[in-house]
Amino acid sequence: MKKGIPMSNSAEFRPRWFEEIPPERSWRSILKWGAPGEFKHPNPRLFRMLKRVFDMTDEDFQTPRKMGLEPTDFKAPTRFSPEVLADFTGILGAENVCTDEYTRLAAAYGKTMLDLLRLREGIAENLPDAVLYPRDRHDVVRIVDYCSRHLIPWWPWGAVPP
């Protein structure tokens, strides 16, 4: 318990959790799991444990902190040359090669607590220079072959639809 601040009865107190669809292209929109209008909050046991482990009180949950609702407004130009981007476009089509900051940011961060906290603070680092969307396994082979020949590091991200 914090000195001088008594903990209120956790069984009675329920934080007002954020339940709004995040604004498009906001920091928070990158972190949203599932349907935009669905929300899952910590159960009372987890809430009590968070307070105990981090020496918090109900008062710590009264005023929202940084919510990440601001637009992702930063500059991180791609380092790929126009020739490399043209080659990727030739393989995948222009609609499947993205170099805008938001798409690259969304691909660079996961859904962990550390990622959530960094993005709420507007920390954007280590973005890929492009996000490529192969249409099929043949595109994947062509991209991997191209990157291997040109010594371009790549990282697979995503999943195969069911």
Side-chain angles (χ1 to χ4, degrees):
M1 176 183 333
K2 290 184 178 181
K3 293 179 181 160
I5 303 175
M7 289 185 78
S8 59
N9 185 344
S10 295
E12 296 173 10
F13 177 77
R14 294 287 181 265
R16 290 179 325 182
W17 300 112
F18 183 79
E19 290 190 338
E20 293 178 27
I21 295 173
E24 284 189 36
R25 302 182 74 80
S26 66
W27 297 97
R28 190 176 189 94
S29 68
I30 292 169
L31 305 169
K32 184 70 175 101
W33 280 87
E38 296 293 321
F39 305 94
K40 183 165 174 77
H41 307 299
N43 66 40
R45 247 183 29 222
L46 177 59
F47 178 62
R48 286 190 301 273
M49 191 256 334
L50 286 170
K51 291 193 311 184
R52 186 182 70 250
V53 168
F54 296 108
D55 193 27
M56 300 173 81
T57 68
D58 292 343
E59 289 77 20
D60 291 314
F61 291 86
Q62 294 290 340
T63 305
R65 306 289 195 264
K66 280 193 150 194
M67 299 296 292
L69 302 175
E70 307 81 21
T72 56
D73 185 22
F74 64 97
K75 298 294 176 224
T78 182
R79 295 170 293 178
F80 282 139
S81 69
E83 294 79 22
V84 169
L85 292 174
D87 290 344
F88 286 150
T89 298
I91 295 169
L92 300 173
E95 69 279 6
N96 295 314
V97 178
C98 297
T99 58
D100 68 281
E101 283 87 353
Y102 181 82
T103 302
R104 292 166 44 222
L105 179 67
Y109 284 85
K111 307 289 186 190
T112 67
M113 184 59 72
L114 180 58
D115 289 340
L116 177 142
L117 294 172
R118 291 168 62 81
L119 289 173
R120 282 191 184 177
E121 291 296 324
I123 298 171
E125 306 174 309
N126 306 317
L127 274 62
D129 287 301
V131 177
L132 309 177
Y133 296 99
R135 297 160 293 195
D136 55 35
R137 68 179 54 193
H138 302 292
D139 283 353
V140 173
V141 169
R142 292 173 68 196
I143 289 298
V144 170
D145 180 58
Y146 180 88
C147 290
S148 295
R149 283 186 284 115
H150 291 55
L151 302 176
I152 297 171
W154 58 275
W155 186 261
W157 180 80
V160 176

